[in-house]
Amino acid sequence: MPNTKTTYICKNCGASYLRWSGKCETCNEWNSLEKAVEASSSRLNYRGDVTNMQNLSEVSSFGSIRKMIGLNEFDRVLGGGLVAGSVILLGGEPGIGKSTLALQVCNLLGGSGQSSLYVSGEESAGQVKSRLDRIKNSESRINFISEVMVENIIATVEKLKPNLALIDSIQTVYSGEIDALPGSISQVKDCAIKLIEAGKRLNIPIILIGHVTKDGHVAGPKTLEHLVDTVLYLEGERYHNLRILRSIKNRFGATNEVGVFEMSAAGLMEVSDPAKIFLQERLAGATGSIITSTLEGNRSFMLEVQGLTTKTVFGYPRRTSSGFDVNRMQLLIAVLTKRANLSLGDRDVYLNIVGGFKISEPAADLAVSLAIASSLLNKAIDPNLIAWGEIGLAGELRNVSQLEKRMKEAGKMGFKQMLIPWQKDHIKITNVEIIKVKSIKEAIKIVLK
Ligand code: TYD
Ligand code: MG
């Protein structure tokens, strides 16, 4: 009797089926089912043994043994350093800097006398060494192996017992026990399970580097994200130097925490005060430009929103946006047309969030609308003004989360006027004129006199 069975797992959502089909019935993705081999569950009369028990009062808590790496932004995103025995999945697009970040972490650990094992299935020792030369390595306690067999990797980790093991990348690793190609779902998942088990058993932290698919998720089943303790994503625009490290899941710290880095000729540099980094090249007195701020974890970023409207030359007006959801922009244009009587029907509208940053929160609605209105009316907005507010379909302004915190941060940055949704509470910030408005129409009247 065979002791394995074949199933088909969806690459997108992880649902499993007995038969292949062109479309996943769970998530409706096409061509996402992949063959996977699972051990059979036919041993029905197997009776288990009693497992050793531990009284929890005698167990030291897992997250309590932490190691600060010395890269502050990275430590902060992890929730205060690396937890012994934890497994971190580091995802990001190709070329964004995952290997560089990982190597810098190994290098810093080396500097404090801790060893690491860098496993690469993609690059040779020479290639990794030349990257290490660029980031000016302080001390080399980094052991390198070029290996893809998970059993060999685990055996090496067991022998070396490094303070950190790093797998670059999980998609290249494969196990001889599984009859599937490297990078396939069953290989990625099973290898990750084996590595996680080894990490927990040996109490060694492991970083798994993962490639992302075109829609921005780590390639492989979603289950990979469930298996690990922490999921980090390194994001940024390829042609901008800024990189944002975001924690999506963290069993040992807060999620939504972000770290900010700048890619330089010598690796990723920390940006410890990123609030104003996007405002550096602002043109004073330009129309269609306004500042807002967005909150990412505990950080607030000041962002310049730019709008441009031009007469549509023929046919259907164009609406293009970079860094802001284009459907949301269409909605705001409709509100501006109907509720603030702006004639945008025959205008092309372009929107840009400067610096390649992406805003996803509705708090930016007011700034986006005012940037468009400012360009249309050809009137500049006071450069010392900052605005927040969500806009409803009736043109009303709605409150945004943590407004007071945003206002205090902006006050520190030297903004003199703050435009906010109307509210009963009186928020006071020294030397700042606070303007409370009820609707987008009123806001335009006040700001674009
Ligand atoms: P890499 O870490 O190889 O990206 P990933 O592992 O995510 O694919 O780094 C990619 C880019 O970073 C590469 O185009 C070169 C650039 N880079 C620098 O600008 N400065 C540096 O010091 C290093 C090491 C890389
Ligand atoms: Mg790489």
Side-chain angles (χ1 to χ4, degrees), residues 226-301:
H226 296 305
L227 294 172
V228 298
D229 298 308
T230 305
V231 180
L232 305 179
Y233 276 97
L234 191 61
E235 301 173 349
E237 293 274 313
R238 223 12 130 82
Y239 304 104
H240 284 98
N241 289 334
L242 230 53
R243 298 284 181 272
I244 291 177
L245 184 70
R246 207 182 279 276
S247 93
I248 304 295
K249 163 183 175 180
N250 194 351
R251 287 191 181 142
F252 312 113
T255 45
N256 283 331
E257 195 57 82
V258 295
V260 185
F261 297 93
E262 204 164 359
M263 182 59 98
S264 73
L268 289 161
M269 298 293 162
E270 297 176 57
V271 180
S272 46
D273 184 21
K276 274 186 113 166
I277 194 149
F278 295 100
L279 299 186
Q280 279 159 3
E281 289 142 23
R282 196 171 175 214
L283 194 65
T287 59
S289 160
I290 184 169
I291 308 295
T292 186
S293 79
T294 180
L295 284 178
E296 296 278 357
N298 280 324
R299 287 263 158 97
S300 96
F301 295 89

Side-chain angles (χ1 to χ4, degrees), residues 297-417:
N298 280 324
R299 287 263 158 97
S300 96
F301 295 89
M302 309 288 148
L303 298 172
E304 180 180 353
V305 180
Q306 293 182 322
L308 182 70
T309 62
T310 55
K311 194 146 177 41
T312 305
V313 181
F314 61 81
Y316 196 70
R318 270 179 74 102
R319 270 82 212 259
T320 316
S321 161
S322 152
F324 188 78
D325 178 27
V326 73
N327 291 324
R328 183 95 196 154
M329 177 176 97
Q330 303 261 31
L331 184 148
L332 294 174
I333 291 172
V335 173
L336 283 171
T337 311
K338 178 99 179 167
R339 310 287 178 196
N341 305 327
L342 297 186
S343 53
L344 286 158
D346 57 350
R347 300 277 155 168
D348 292 345
V349 181
Y350 303 91
L351 189 79
N352 179 35
I353 310 297
V354 175
F357 204 98
K358 290 187 181 64
I359 309 188
S360 50
E361 48 169 7
D365 286 356
L366 180 58
V368 167
S369 305
L370 285 175
I372 295 170
S374 159
S375 176
L376 181 77
L377 303 172
N378 211 19
K379 286 180 186 161
I381 297 168
D382 187 335
N384 287 312
L385 177 124
I386 183 162
W388 305 271
E390 179 180 345
I391 296 180
L393 290 186
E396 82 280 17
L397 277 189
R398 290 163 176 270
N399 214 346
V400 302
S401 63
Q402 304 192 56
L403 182 64
E404 197 165 344
K405 183 173 174 174
R406 294 175 205 250
M407 292 170 75
K408 283 191 178 137
E409 290 274 341
K412 277 190 232 153
M413 296 294 153
F415 287 93
K416 295 278 170 277
Q417 278 187 336

Side-chain angles (χ1 to χ4, degrees), residues 29-145:
E29 184 78 12
W30 285 95
N31 204 15
S32 63
L33 297 199
E34 203 174 85
K35 191 171 169 182
V37 183
E38 275 180 14
S40 159
S41 56
S42 63
R43 296 162 73 191
L44 284 178
N45 46 14
Y46 173 75
R47 304 210 25 183
D49 294 324
V50 177
T51 308
N52 284 340
M53 285 175 270
Q54 280 176 296
N55 192 311
L56 279 182
S57 62
E58 290 153 21
V59 180
S60 60
S61 47
F62 193 67
S64 59
I65 316 151
R66 283 180 184 266
K67 243 182 306 211
M68 298 298 263
I69 292 159
L71 194 62
N72 289 333
E73 294 291 291
F74 191 74
D75 284 334
R76 212 166 43 79
V77 174
L78 285 181
L82 208 56
V83 174
S86 68
V87 178
I88 298 163
L89 179 66
L90 174 62
E93 284 178 16
I96 204 79
K98 300 180 294 296
S99 304
T100 308
L101 180 63
L103 205 59
Q104 278 180 265
V105 168
C106 291
N107 184 41
L108 282 164
L109 283 180
S112 61
Q114 313 219 29
S115 65
S116 52
L117 178 69
Y118 193 107
V119 183
S120 181
E122 295 178 349
E123 290 166 309
S124 68
Q127 281 172 306
V128 174
K129 175 70 185 167
S130 64
R131 188 179 287 126
L132 195 58
D133 290 340
R134 289 180 73 173
I135 63 172
K136 298 192 181 60
N137 65 318
S138 50
E139 197 193 329
S140 62
R141 298 206 50 176
I142 308 173
N143 298 286
F144 177 86
I145 54 169

